[in-house]
Amino acid sequence: MNGLTTVILAAGEGKRMRSRQPKVLHELCGRPLISYSLRVARAVGDQIVLIVGPDADGVRAAAGDGVTIVEQRERLGTGHAVLQARAHCEDSAGPILVLPSDVPLLLAETIERLVSHHTTTGAAATVLTAVVDRPQGYGRVLRQGGRVKRIVEDRDATDDEKKVGEINTSVYCFDSRRLWPALDHVRPENDQGEYYLTDVIGPLAKAGGRIEAIALEDPEEALGVNDRKQLAVLAAIQRRRILDRHMLAGVTILDPASTYVDDTVTIGADTVIYPNVIIDVASEIGSECVIGAGCQIRATRLGDRVQLKPYCVLTESVIERGAVMGPFCHLRPNSHVGENCEIGNFIELKKTKIGRKSKAHHVGYLGDTTIGEGANIGAGTITCNYDGVAKHPTVIGDGAFVGTNSSLVAPLTIGKGAYVAAGSVITKDVPEDALAVERAPQVVKEGWAARFFAAKRARKPKE
Ligand code: UD1
Ligand code: CA
């Protein structure tokens, strides 16, 4: 909306989190709390002023571009926090939207409704409220003849006032010309000795200003995070919202109750997700993929039609379309699996790039390795990439065949179409199309086993 300034209050200490980091950096479904308020602010407003506390470098970094950051040096309350934004708002006569930074379930549509109600009614202030069953801890909205008269904090409320079920969400829209003078008059005369933003409502109403209130249709949106128990409750709600969004967009989720998908993840249509799956840190999942039970996918991109059999753990990697993975494969960072590859059970990859249609079906470790197209890596192949001091690369050419139980001692190059015999310890480069075999020659002694057992049995004492 034109001329709207949004002030986000994020200087609170968040003592109840009992944490070394500021409350607003705690994550809800993979995004810091502050990013939820910023997302809403960006959706509705022009100018954003973010009030942060001292030592808030992390919060500044999380805020990103296009945000004016103002430090509230002393935490003297929510009214004092809003006052810090004054110098950045006085040029504009537009309305001021105040958002808390610990109420992450608020929807942009709701805030748009609040702002447009505020501007059409010409109110001095419009408060977003919620009617809840358990209002304990929240500020109560006190009305007279239906109109909002003031807000009283839980700890300052009388027993009668505490019975009021309509709470202040800490989201407001103000007429800026009336807000600043009213804030000047707020005094820290309350149980906490703080300058409360809520205390501007009474005087504005008394001065004849119209105080509007919009009640949330779904009071869940007003839930705040003050401690880690609440963080978990809100995460469960947000998680369900994320899954609903994906299901409505065509993703099948067999068991939403056991599926964890971060807010930063994208998933293509017709992908099927089995139970107990975790997908986080901005992973991108293509269309028509199958994500088997128990997979954990972190910061990883899957092309279309990738199949993950159960219990794959994938981190910071890319899997191109049509590849089939697992069960039980482990991709450590910077791995890249090409189109239609088959990477089977108990394969670990680290910093390894595999070309199209190559296969490593059973048990192995491939680290710091580049593999061409159509290669076959036999069961139990290990790249010995670490000499105890440094890591070394292995290169395996297109169409190469590495036999079962080979140890490939890096640095090493195996040429295109070469063949490594099973059980070899390969320490020298293998040219294209060559055979490399490194094993003791096999000895065969005819009749030896029969003679051996006969002699043993003859010597065994009778029982
Ligand atoms: C506040 C409201 C209460 C409302 C509730 C809704 C006041 C006095 N009370 O209470 O009516 O029902 O939110 O969740 O406003 N902050 C600062 N600087 C400060 C103090 C706080 O920036 O000096 C920020 C916090 O980071 C937070 C917000 O203001 O984002 C609200 O502060 P908090 O201490 O959580 O207030 P509540 O007790 O929850
Ligand atoms: Ca709060």
Side-chain angles (χ1 to χ4, degrees):
M1 195 219 142
N2 261 353
L4 177 75
T5 300
T6 304
V7 179
I8 302 177
L9 307 182
E13 267 177 287
K15 283 195 197 108
R16 289 165 278 182
M17 295 299 279
R18 300 191 178 276
S19 173
R20 283 198 203 152
Q21 64 170 347
K23 175 162 76 178
V24 293
L25 292 183
H26 282 262
E27 287 194 351
L28 184 81
C29 297
R31 293 173 48 220
L33 287 174
I34 188 63
S35 78
Y36 287 86
S37 305
L38 284 164
R39 179 159 68 177
V40 167
R42 288 194 168 104
V44 299
D46 285 341
Q47 197 197 182
I48 301 173
V49 181
L50 176 65
I51 312 295
V52 302
D55 304 320
D57 290 349
V59 183
R60 287 167 194 267
D65 295 336
V67 177
T68 305
I69 297 177
V70 180
E71 185 176 312
Q72 183 192 17
R73 286 203 188 87
E74 286 179 286
R75 294 172 168 111
L76 299 180
T78 46
H80 180 258
V82 171
L83 265 180
Q84 311 308 304
R86 185 175 193 161
H88 300 273
C89 301
E90 273 180 333
D91 293 347
S92 154
I96 308 244
L97 169 69
V98 174
L99 294 178
S101 54
D102 59 353
V103 184
L105 301 183
L106 287 165
L107 297 175
E109 297 91 88
T110 304
I111 307 302
E112 272 160 13
R113 199 156 61 86
L114 177 86
V115 174
S116 82
H117 184 90
H118 176 82
T119 44
T120 50
T121 56
T126 306
V127 187
L128 185 67
T129 71
V131 178
V132 298
D133 296 335
R134 278 181 293 166
Q136 288 81 9
Y138 291 96
R140 307 297 204 288
V141 177
L142 305 180
R143 294 176 181 256
Q144 222 173 44
R147 301 221 71 89
V148 176
K149 284 295 161 205
R150 71 192 168 94
I151 295 174
V152 64
E153 287 307 290
D154 184 68
R155 53 208 306 164
D156 302 309
T158 63
D159 288 346
D160 270 353
E161 288 167 345
K162 280 191 176 148
K163 288 185 193 134
V164 172
E166 188 177 16
I167 61 148
N168 166 30
T169 62
S170 222
V171 177
Y172 327 73
C173 212
F174 291 102
D175 171 358
S176 57
R177 284 156 306 188
R178 286 182 271 187
L179 171 65
W180 304 119
L183 263 180
D184 279 338
H185 288 103
V186 168
R187 291 286 159 263
E189 282 151 15
N190 49 58
D191 186 52
Q192 296 201 96
E194 287 186 357
Y195 295 84
Y196 285 167
L197 179 58
T198 43
D199 283 350
V200 299
I201 300 295
L204 284 175
K206 265 201 193 123
R210 178 171 178 161
I211 311 296
E212 286 290 312
I214 284 206
L216 283 171
E217 278 156 24
D218 180 0
E220 239 175 32
E221 272 188 63
L223 291 173
V225 178
N226 291 315
D227 59 35
R228 297 193 199 224
K229 274 176 71 182
Q230 288 168 327
L231 185 65
V233 170
L234 268 70
I237 297 169
Q238 179 65 10
R239 184 159 69 80
R240 187 60 211 228
R241 282 189 185 174
I242 295 167
L243 297 178
D244 286 350
R245 165 160 58 83
H246 288 298
M247 289 189 278
L248 290 173
V251 177
T252 294
I253 297 174
L254 294 178
D255 182 23
S258 72
T259 305
Y260 295 74
V261 175
D262 266 3
D263 211 13
T264 50
V265 167
T266 59
I267 308 175
D270 288 323
T271 283
V272 178
I273 301 178
Y274 280 76
N276 291 315
V277 165
I278 303 173
I279 310 176
D280 58 15
V281 198
S283 291
E284 293 171 40
I285 312 296
S287 305
E288 298 175 57
C289 292
V290 177
I291 314 290
C295 289
Q296 180 167 23
I297 306 170
R298 166 160 291 187
T300 288
R301 182 165 69 73
L302 265 57
D304 297 339
R305 292 191 298 286
V306 166
Q307 271 187 60
L308 301 185
K309 294 182 181 170
Y311 302 105
C312 294
V313 176
L314 316 176
T315 308
E316 292 171 39
S317 291
V318 176
I319 299 170
E320 300 290 359
R321 76 167 88 144
V324 181
M325 313 285 295
F328 298 100
C329 73
H330 183 191
L331 266 58
R332 290 166 54 204
N334 298 313
S335 295
H336 188 129
V337 174
E339 268 177 53
N340 299 318
C341 281
E342 294 170 23
I343 306 298
N345 42 192
F346 303 108
I347 299 282
E348 174 182 343
L349 304 182
K350 189 219 70 175
K351 259 195 193 173
T352 284
K353 186 165 186 201
I354 306 185
R356 321 173 34 244
K357 287 192 168 168
S358 287
K359 295 175 188 169
H361 272 161
H362 336 264
V363 190
Y365 170 60
L366 302 167
D368 302 298
T369 301
T370 307
I371 300 174
E373 298 180 4
N376 192 329
I377 310 297
T381 297
I382 305 285
T383 52
C384 311
N385 61 326
Y386 183 51
D387 59 13
V389 179
K391 305 275 165 64
H392 302 284
T394 299
V395 177
I396 299 174
D398 294 345
F401 183 99
V402 177
T404 300
N405 208 26
S406 300
S407 297
L408 308 179
V409 181
L412 183 71
T413 299
I414 294 171
K416 280 187 196 170
Y419 196 110
V420 172
S424 298
V425 177
I426 302 296
T427 52
K428 294 184 209 119
D429 287 354
V430 181
E432 278 183 24
D433 300 321
L435 165 71
V437 53
E438 190 281 341
R439 304 169 190 149
Q442 184 170 331
V443 176
V444 174
K445 295 186 178 174
E446 293 288 348
W448 182 92
R451 288 194 300 278
F452 172 80
F453 286 124
K456 285 266 182 205
R457 283 178 197 126
R459 262 185 258 133
K460 193 176 174 192
K462 293 238 157 32
E463 273 157 26

